Amino acid sequence: MATVLVVDDSSFMRMRCVSTVKELGYDTVEAGDGAEAIQTYKDQKPAAVLMDITMPGTDGLQALKEIMAFDGNARVAMVTAMGQQSMVMEAMKSGAKDFVVKPFEPDRVKAALTKLLA
Amino acid sequence: MNDQEIAFWAELVNKGTNNAMNNLSQMVGQDIQVTSFGLRQIPVAETSQLMGGADVEAIGIYLTVSGSADGHIMLMYDPRMAYGFVDLLMGQPEGTTEALGEMESSALGELGNIMGSSFLNALADATGLTLMPSPPHVMTDMAGALLDIIAADILQTQDDAFVAEATYQAPGRNISGMFFVIPTQNLLQVLLDTRTAA
């Protein structure tokens, strides 16, 4: 069974996101900031990553860049309230495959995962 | 600010507030209604009174703004109202939450993150600027002490605060909250400059 890494500094949002991902039948691992996400990715090589942007310390964009540098085939979607055009463009240029703006409907996260894991 | 600048600032705040309230409605699954909305220029020293009194106990969700310029966003709640929003967010019966544990604080922080980001997204879309929120800080204190965090910062560069404020409620649950955006003089100028540049 594929494993999805859920990265968000909010434990409340991780709980919501993990619940949606598990409903799709995937396993999950969690990280609470960018630095933890990078380490967890390197240790566990998840099939896909759902990554928040606004986090203390290493933010989601920095973590995305480091994960892509480590694994050019990483499948990462950003899941963030920061839906500004400049942010979307930077994430896509840095290798994100999708961009989900919070608050999200569970179906939107499901669609992102389906796209990532196709 | 002259009349045209005030009108432009009001238009931006209106767009931002609408976006924040729409996304709050979606997040909590209730139709959130704005019950009052206003712009004020007040001496910085008076910001501690914004919630109706400096000594009122409150729960604040605080975000700073960075990117093209700096500013402050604060959501403030009577604690019982904050607990009501936590119950909504966590799908619990009204009255379940009686204190803030780690998960309750996290839920309120995410509410602040989504409202603050939604407000800034609307301003960024309208002006072409990049305006980023910090991670939210959830704090319980006297209202004056919470608002003094903002006052202490902006007093370094200006005597007056330009306060945008909205009060909102979820009629289905009889809960309400206050949303304050206080730009630094620099942020206000950067926003107003986009009007002349357009």
Side-chain angles (χ1 to χ4, degrees):
Chain A
M1 187 186 294
T3 297
V4 176
L5 171 59
V6 175
V7 188
D8 200 306
D9 58 319
S10 162
S11 49
F12 171 74
M13 279 312 294
R14 286 203 309 276
M15 180 184 72
R16 275 197 166 182
C17 211
V18 162
S19 161
T20 302
V21 173
K22 284 189 169 166
E23 275 176 29
L24 282 175
Y26 298 112
D27 281 336
T28 57
V29 285
E30 300 179 35
D33 60 38
E36 194 183 341
I38 296 161
Q39 194 57 52
T40 305
Y41 189 91
K42 288 178 177 174
D43 290 346
Q44 305 205 26
K45 289 280 196 68
V49 183
L50 300 175
M51 176 102 76
D52 187 21
I53 289 183
T54 305
M55 295 185 286
T58 306
D59 69 25
L61 284 175
Q62 287 174 267
L64 167 68
K65 288 170 188 169
E66 289 200 35
I67 286 172
M68 294 309 296
F70 172 75
D71 175 6
N73 295 315
R75 290 177 276 192
V76 183
M78 311 312 284
V79 182
T80 175
M82 273 286 293
Q84 296 172 27
Q85 194 181 7
S86 59
M87 210 52 56
V88 178
M89 288 176 66
E90 186 175 351
M92 292 310 207
K93 263 198 319 199
S94 302
K97 306 287 188 291
D98 203 348
F99 199 102
V100 179
V101 180
K102 296 179 192 170
F104 58 75
E105 296 293 336
D107 282 350
R108 180 65 186 86
V109 171
K110 289 176 183 173
L113 274 180
T114 303
K115 182 175 168 184
L116 288 180
L117 296 170
Chain B
M1 281 195 281
N2 62 37
D3 288 350
Q4 286 177 326
E5 288 173 334
I6 291 171
F8 182 67
W9 172 230
E11 185 186 331
L12 288 178
V13 170
N14 196 27
K15 283 180 182 169
T17 304
N18 283 338
N19 203 35
M21 296 305 160
N22 287 341
N23 284 332
L24 176 61
S25 297
Q26 187 184 338
M27 190 183 184
V28 299
Q30 292 258 325
D31 181 27
I32 301 294
Q33 297 175 355
V34 175
T35 52
S36 72
F37 170 81
L39 301 175
R40 285 200 270 170
Q41 180 177 350
I42 59 172
V44 172
E46 291 180 17
T47 55
S48 63
Q49 302 292 326
L50 280 172
M51 207 178 157
D55 296 335
V56 180
E57 188 185 11
I59 291 175
I61 310 167
Y62 174 59
L63 303 89
T64 56
V65 181
S66 62
S68 300
D70 303 333
H72 306 268
I73 293 175
M74 180 77 84
L75 285 76
M76 294 191 76
Y77 299 97
D78 172 289
R80 284 170 301 124
M81 300 293 155
Y83 301 158
F85 274 104
V86 170
D87 287 339
L88 265 182
L89 288 164
M90 297 180 72
Q92 301 171 158
E94 197 170 359
T96 304
T97 301
E98 296 180 332
L100 294 186
E102 199 273 336
M103 188 58 77
E104 290 82 7
S105 291
S106 175
L108 280 181
E110 191 59 23
L111 183 150
N113 175 41
I114 286 181
M115 287 186 73
S117 297
S118 302
F119 184 93
L120 295 175
N121 290 348
L123 263 61
D125 282 351
T127 60
L129 299 173
T130 297
L131 298 166
M132 297 178 294
S134 69
H137 296 281
V138 179
M139 299 169 284
T140 304
D141 207 329
M142 299 294 115
L146 294 172
L147 289 161
D148 278 349
I149 296 168
I150 300 175
D153 182 67
I154 58 177
L155 199 53
Q156 294 175 32
T157 53
Q158 61 204 72
D159 297 325
D160 283 354
F162 297 89
V163 180
E165 57 189 320
T167 307
Y168 51 94
Q169 65 177 22
R173 286 281 185 111
N174 195 28
I175 49 178
S176 61
M178 301 183 81
F179 182 70
F180 298 106
V181 177
I182 305 180
T184 57
Q185 186 75 50
N186 179 31
L187 173 56
L188 205 52
Q189 196 57 54
V190 168
L191 288 166
L192 294 175
D193 286 348
T194 64
R195 173 182 152 269
T196 47

